[in-house]
Amino acid sequence: MDFLSEIKSILTDILDIEGFRISEKTYLIRDLEAESIDLLELAVCLNAKFKIEVNDDEIYLKQLRAFIDEAQREKSDIIKYLAEKYPFLSPARIEEILADLDGGPALKIKDLISYVKWQRK
Amino acid sequence: MGGGNDKTMHLQFGGKRLLILGGSCDLAIALTECAIRAGLFPLLTFRNKERERHIAEKLPNTSQYDTCYLDFADRSSLNFLLNKVGKRLDFLVDFAQGDFESLIASANEMRIYSYLAENIAFRAEMLKKVSRVMLQNGKGRMIFVSSSAAVRLNQGQGFYAASKLAAEALYKSIGLELGSFGITTVSLRPGYIGEGRGKTFIQKQGEAILQKIPIHRVLHSQEVAETILFLLSESARGFNATEILMDGGLTAGK
């Protein structure tokens, strides 16, 4: 299954962004300006399209900053800590996200794809 | 609007599948009868075997509706219900409400936590999941059966009123958040009803209570059920994210 095409199709429909070039590197919120109601609709569509359970907190990394704080408080290795919380993200991707936090929500289309693949296993 | 099959026939509905929570109460039974006549297919929830038997006694034609176990104190029962609902759900009517009459200052502390968890937190989880089913369908209508006691309570009704008001807020939020997706909500606040739980209270209070109601009578389950059916119909889609009082004028005066 071409996950990118399927997710692009869903997002084009939800966000009404016909013609916008969406790649795996596109930021869901920074680039596409998805709002909370769009994220809810996306979660429902992913659930229906891929027959997977979608946990909004997980897929959208909603508690990312709280988990980082927790890891720092507990003096844990942040990457290992986040890898436990977000098992669908590779350590390399987590490292990339951590380096990218200052720019705003770091969630990219490729993270959605990782989540869907992980849930379908 | 009044009683009788001919009048309900005029109502149009944007679907067929109706989930009724708290499906064994008198109002739910009355609504089920109206809904079946209107061509809907109700799914009634019950919380134990006794309530399941009660439904079967009141509604002997079991081919016209379905039932499912749901206990607000048992989170796993929600998944059981959702599996039964599947992807098709057009309407939700929520009568479910636990009993807990106590003065705030004398309430059992454990019961405070369990009551509010069952009647608010569980309901919020249920609404989250039902909303997502309706989102997949691109439409849905929810009616929460609240109570005039939410805004005009007697002593000992503090927890009941708190949970009703919290539930109203949840339903209102859904109407606000998902109205653009075709999912709308209404909370109905009936006043004194002459059947069910209200009957005992009214018997205790006697004539004095009727004098406080401008129409000098209590409501009947049938007329409340017909009002709910109307609120489910296409004619009532303009009511969204709001509360409607149906109390014969009880709360309007001093």
Side-chain angles (χ1 to χ4, degrees):
Chain A
M1 183 182 278
D2 183 349
F3 294 98
L4 178 60
S5 295
E6 296 288 356
I7 291 174
K8 273 166 69 174
S9 163
I10 292 170
L11 284 171
T12 302
D13 190 34
I14 292 174
L15 301 171
D16 197 17
I17 47 171
E18 193 69 46
F20 193 99
R21 288 188 63 185
I22 298 174
S23 75
E24 291 198 355
K25 291 180 180 172
T26 304
Y27 290 100
L28 184 61
I29 296 165
R30 281 193 222 172
D31 293 337
L32 302 180
E33 298 179 347
E35 296 181 359
S36 55
I37 197 77
D38 303 318
L39 299 182
L40 168 60
E41 198 178 359
L42 175 60
V44 170
C45 289
L46 293 174
N47 167 245
K49 183 77 198 174
F50 299 109
K51 316 279 183 244
I52 55 166
E53 282 296 313
V54 177
N55 179 324
D56 295 23
D57 279 358
E58 279 180 353
I59 191 172
Y60 300 133
L61 314 180
K62 283 185 176 179
Q63 293 175 282
L64 179 67
R65 286 176 194 271
F67 288 148
I68 292 170
D69 289 346
E70 269 176 27
Q72 285 171 335
R73 271 201 309 276
E74 293 172 17
K75 297 187 171 36
S76 305
D77 179 311
I78 295 180
I79 293 177
K80 275 189 187 167
Y81 194 86
L82 292 178
E84 281 176 20
K85 300 292 183 188
Y86 301 114
F88 57 99
L89 296 177
S90 68
R93 176 61 188 138
I94 291 172
E95 210 166 340
E96 204 177 284
I97 288 172
L98 289 172
D100 192 21
L101 285 177
D102 289 345
L107 188 71
K108 291 184 174 180
I109 302 303
K110 64 181 178 183
D111 302 322
L112 301 180
I113 295 172
S114 300
Y115 185 84
V116 171
K117 286 181 177 174
W118 174 71
Q119 281 288 38
R120 283 167 59 95
K121 272 183 189 170
Chain B
M1 199 173 56
N5 307 358
D6 54 334
K7 292 185 180 176
T8 56
M9 288 292 285
H10 298 298
L11 298 174
Q12 303 291 316
F13 297 90
K16 198 171 164 68
R17 301 277 298 182
L18 164 63
L19 173 60
I20 302 179
L21 304 181
S24 64
C25 69
D26 289 347
L27 263 177
I29 300 292
L31 173 65
T32 301
E33 288 168 338
C34 290
I36 290 169
R37 284 199 297 271
L40 304 185
F41 189 85
L43 168 60
L44 289 76
T45 70
F46 58 86
R47 68 177 184 278
N48 57 38
K49 286 282 174 197
E50 183 195 338
R51 302 315 294 170
E52 183 183 21
R53 278 194 297 274
H54 180 74
I55 293 172
E57 283 166 17
K58 294 284 182 181
L59 302 165
N61 190 348
T62 53
S63 66
Q64 294 178 315
Y65 68 93
D66 202 353
T67 58
C68 184
Y69 165 67
L70 180 72
D71 183 351
F72 275 38
D74 174 8
R75 283 185 68 195
S76 66
S77 68
L78 183 54
N79 288 332
F80 187 68
L81 172 69
L82 290 166
N83 283 336
K84 187 137 191 175
V85 165
K87 291 180 180 172
R88 290 190 51 229
L89 182 62
D90 303 302
F91 307 108
L92 166 71
V93 176
D94 183 356
F95 292 103
Q97 182 68 42
D99 249 339
F100 183 25
E101 193 160 323
S102 168
L103 301 177
I104 303 291
S106 63
N108 176 292
E109 289 160 27
M110 292 304 290
R111 187 74 185 110
I112 293 172
Y113 281 92
S114 62
Y115 184 79
L116 296 179
E118 288 164 23
N119 289 282
I120 301 175
F122 182 93
R123 181 170 272 115
E125 182 182 359
M126 176 277 295
L127 285 172
K128 174 196 167 172
K129 292 178 174 171
V130 165
S131 295
R132 289 167 90 109
V133 173
M134 288 181 170
L135 271 169
Q136 286 196 24
N137 292 332
K139 65 183 168 71
R141 178 71 159 164
M142 303 183 191
I143 309 297
F144 174 59
V145 183
S146 182
S147 167
S148 59
V151 285
R152 181 170 169 150
L153 53 164
N154 293 307
Q155 288 185 357
Q157 288 187 312
F159 296 105
Y160 177 83
S163 70
K164 285 292 193 192
L165 286 172
E168 286 183 5
L170 294 171
Y171 277 91
K172 177 175 276 191
S173 295
I174 289 174
L176 277 173
E177 293 163 4
L178 303 183
S180 63
F181 295 94
I183 299 166
T184 55
T185 64
V186 170
S187 289
L188 180 68
R189 292 173 177 167
Y192 294 117
I193 299 173
E195 295 93 24
R197 280 180 200 167
K199 190 175 177 180
T200 318
F201 179 78
I202 292 155
Q203 282 171 342
K204 277 186 200 167
Q205 299 292 316
E207 194 63 23
I209 195 72
L210 298 181
Q211 293 309 314
K212 290 182 183 172
I213 307 171
I215 60 172
H216 293 313
R217 68 170 180 85
V218 294
L219 302 173
H220 301 297
S221 293
Q222 184 64 26
E223 65 185 320
V224 179
E226 287 171 4
T227 301
I228 295 169
L229 193 67
F230 165 72
L231 290 172
L232 290 173
S233 75
E234 291 296 293
S235 304
R237 296 291 289 197
F239 292 105
N240 180 37
T242 192
E243 297 84 33
I244 301 172
L245 262 169
M246 181 186 185
D247 66 353
L250 173 70
T251 56
K254 279 189 177 178

